[in-house]
């Protein structure tokens, strides 16, 4: 249980000039459960798709174990076995964002331009080959548009947290720094769609509200004297576009790349190719939280594929950071990388052309009036602490929700430390769950699921990489039955048999 002693909480809030509703001793208790039977659904050569019995959920997790003699064969298996799910997940997501058909078509043309002219340019050849395989595999099942859906998903996942305000800086980068590369074909598609608006500028209505909700993610790492046996635990929350219907397409993709690469698990959805979070057989964990900045570009490594690249090529923190430094950023994002072998975690505050690296108890964070770093723990919500990053940040100070979640994590670490509680799996899941969005931004709203229907926490994941375990929760239900991930069961996935080859 996460227990916040009122005296400790009140003292910290007063010192930081915050207001805390007096709640006495606050309790939030996440639910843990074991996964059930893995049932084979279908196979293509060495790639197998399973349904994972998921207690407490209205639909099961899908797990695809991807093996191939080539990258193309890996992609083919992924696209072939998930063809119908790719289409379903894409339509659920886009249908939630864009209610107007013409507005959706206009945005889809924009997504295609962004991928074709910019984002694809730094995707490594091995992933290009996988994408070609996805196209071929999906076409073999009669889903000829799936590759377009997957590429659009790569663009959508790369978008800034507040698209409406922040997209201006991406467009400026593309126009002023790169000039226009738009082709005749793209222009003809744009003209055809724009004609449908009869010369009027589309309002996008509710779409603008949908595109402003991506700024509530979080991640953390903790190790050393704070944990049992000193091993690393890490966690990640994705708070974005809740209640879309995409939950029925929740997916764990376990990749076994050919050659001298490492097996890894990518957590996400069909149609969103890559890793929204995950960890590898070598104990590297990967995380993300948006942090909007005016320095941004799509001529960098799409982060959901970049995280896969780190997992399959690194087995230590040094190797992971060297890989990061050798590749290019896109937008303003707070990333996190963990290493079970080194028992350490690093936070990365990134924007186009710049990365600031943070270890625990960093003096830059301590110097900020919004920072409260600790030893042997590091965490991020949606604010940065590096002075160079902050010069071009969209916001000079964190919003209420961002700051409250940052301090909730601080308070929970501090409580465990003062109470002499060593963090094990339950406490690590508590740390993840307590800051998942449950329908409000005030401190008390994070400690109850009373308003769960309104929560936007769609993925909540805790990793125990040294033991090859992850505790995974997803949103569930629709409308009045909707419940955010952090209010649902955290399912225990033992990934050791899945990482082993082969798994049949």
């Amino acid at each position: 249980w996460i227990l916040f002693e009122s005296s400790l909480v009140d003292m910290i809030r007063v010192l930081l000039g915050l207001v805390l509703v007096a709640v006495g001793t606050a309790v939030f208790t996440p639910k843990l459960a074991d996964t059930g039977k893995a049932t084979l659904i279908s196979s293509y050569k060495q790639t197998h798709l399973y349904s994972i019995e998921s207690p407490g959920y209205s639909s099961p997790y899908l797990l695809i174990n991807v093996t191939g003699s080539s990258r193309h064969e890996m992609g083919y298996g992924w696209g072939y076995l998930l063809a119908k799910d790719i289409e379903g997940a894409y339509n659920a997501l886009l249908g939630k964002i864009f209610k107007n058909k013409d507005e959706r078509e206009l945005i889809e043309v924009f997504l295609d331009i962004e991928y074709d002219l910019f984002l694809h340019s730094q995707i490594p050849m091995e992933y290009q080959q996988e994408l070609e395989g996805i196209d071929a595999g999906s076409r073999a099942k009669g889903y000829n548009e799936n590759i377009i859906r997957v590429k659009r998903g790569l663009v959508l996942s790369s978008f800034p947290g507040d698209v409406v305000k922040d997209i201006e800086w991406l467009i400026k980068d593309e126009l002023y720094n790169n000039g226009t590369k738009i082709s005749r074909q793209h222009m003809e598609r744009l003209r055809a769609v724009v004609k449908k608006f009869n010369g009027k500028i589309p309002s996008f209505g509710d779409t603008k509200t949908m595109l402003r909700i991506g700024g509530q993610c979080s991640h953390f790492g903790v190790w050393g004297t704070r944990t049992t046996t000193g091993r690393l635990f890490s966690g990640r929350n994705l708070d974005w576009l809740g209640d879309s219907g995409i939950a029925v397409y929740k997916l764990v993709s376990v990749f076994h790349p050919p050659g001298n690469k490492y097996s890894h698990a990518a957590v996400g959805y069909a149609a969103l190719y890559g890793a929204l979070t995950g960890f590898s057989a070598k104990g590297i964990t990967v995380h993300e939280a948006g942090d909007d900045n005016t320095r941004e570009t799509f001529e960098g490594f799409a982060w959901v594929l970049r995280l896969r690249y780190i997992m399959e090529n690194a087995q230590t923190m040094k190797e992971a950071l060297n890989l990061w430094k050798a590749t290019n950023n896109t937008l303003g994002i707070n990333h996190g990388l963990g290493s079970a072998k080194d028992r350490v975690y690093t936070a990365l505050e990134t924007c186009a052309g710049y990365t600031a690296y943070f270890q625990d108890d960093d003096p830059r964070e301590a110097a900020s009036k919004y920072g409260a770093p600790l030893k042997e723990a590091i965490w991020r919500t949606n604010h940065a602490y590096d002075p160079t990053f902050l010069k071009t940040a969209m916001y000079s100070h964190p919003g209420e929700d961002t700051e409250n979640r940052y301090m909730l994590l601080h308070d929970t670490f501090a409580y465990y430390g003062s109470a002499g509680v060593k963090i094990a799996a339950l406490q690590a899941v508590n740390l993840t769950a307590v800051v998942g969005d449950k329908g409000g931004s005030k401190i008390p709203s994070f400690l109850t699921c009373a308003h769960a229907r309104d929560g936007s926490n769609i993925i909540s994941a805790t990793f125990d990489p040294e033991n090859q375990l992850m505790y995974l929760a997803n949103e569930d239900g629709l409308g009045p039955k909707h419940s955010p991930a952090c209010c649902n069961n955290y399912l225990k996935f033992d990934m050791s048999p899945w990482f082993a080859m082969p798994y049949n």
Side-chain angles (χ1 to χ4, degrees), residues 126-190:
E126 56 263 42
Y127 299 131
Q128 298 277 12
Q129 292 168 351
E130 288 182 11
L131 291 168
E132 291 170 1
I134 290 172
D135 186 23
S138 291
R139 287 178 183 275
K141 293 291 284 287
Y143 292 83
N144 296 341
E145 301 297 316
N146 270 358
I147 188 59
I148 298 173
R149 297 178 179 117
V150 169
K151 290 177 178 179
R152 289 171 181 165
L154 288 172
V155 178
L156 278 172
S157 63
S158 299
F159 267 2
D162 189 336
V163 178
V164 176
K165 290 184 178 180
D166 204 14
I167 199 71
E168 167 191 358
W169 302 100
L170 176 64
I171 301 302
K172 284 181 177 179
D173 171 78
E174 293 172 353
L175 292 177
Y176 300 156
N177 296 336
N178 296 295
T180 178
K181 299 180 180 179
I182 194 166
S183 67
R184 180 186 296 273
Q185 180 184 9
H186 287 119
M187 282 301 301
E188 289 175 352
R189 288 183 64 200
L190 275 175

Side-chain angles (χ1 to χ4, degrees), residues 316-360:
T316 66
M317 181 60 71
K318 181 179 180 180
E319 291 175 358
L321 294 179
N322 284 340
L323 290 167
W324 193 271
K325 293 171 183 176
T327 50
N328 294 319
N329 302 335
T330 52
L331 310 186
I333 297 174
N334 289 335
H335 282 291
L337 300 175
S339 170
K341 185 174 183 179
D342 303 299
R343 294 183 166 181
V344 73
Y345 192 84
T346 300
L348 302 85
E349 298 177 357
T350 74
C351 58
Y354 182 75
T355 299
Y357 302 89
F358 280 75
Q359 307 301 325
D360 58 321

Side-chain angles (χ1 to χ4, degrees), residues 8-20 365-373 379 385 397-400 402-411 443:
L8 172 63
V9 176
D10 289 340
M11 177 184 69
I12 294 172
R13 295 290 168 244
V14 170
L15 289 174
L16 292 172
L18 300 175
V19 177
L20 175 65
E365 196 169 343
S368 169
K369 65 179 180 179
Y370 306 109
W379 62 99
Y385 299 92
H397 59 276
E400 178 187 39
T402 295
E403 187 169 10
N404 282 343
R405 287 180 290 115
Y406 176 92
M407 287 309 303
L408 272 173
L409 284 168
H410 171 277
D411 296 350
I443 291 289

Side-chain angles (χ1 to χ4, degrees), residues 218 237 239 405 432-439 445-446 457 460 486:
S218 59
N237 284 298
D239 298 337
R405 287 180 290 115
T432 312
V434 73
V435 289
D437 180 56
K438 304 174 187 68
S445 72
F446 290 98
N457 181 230
S460 192
C486 50

Side-chain angles (χ1 to χ4, degrees), residues 6 25 53 83 184 190 200 279 282 310 357 389 393 420 425 469 473:
S6 58
T25 301
E53 187 178 340
R184 180 186 296 273
L190 275 175
K200 298 179 180 179
F279 79 113
K282 295 297 182 181
I310 298 293
Y357 302 89
F389 182 99
L469 298 173

Side-chain angles (χ1 to χ4, degrees), residues 21 63 90 221 248 294 312 337 487 494:
V21 176
L63 187 150
Y90 177 83
V248 298
T294 61
E312 71 174 64
L337 300 175
C487 293
D494 180 358

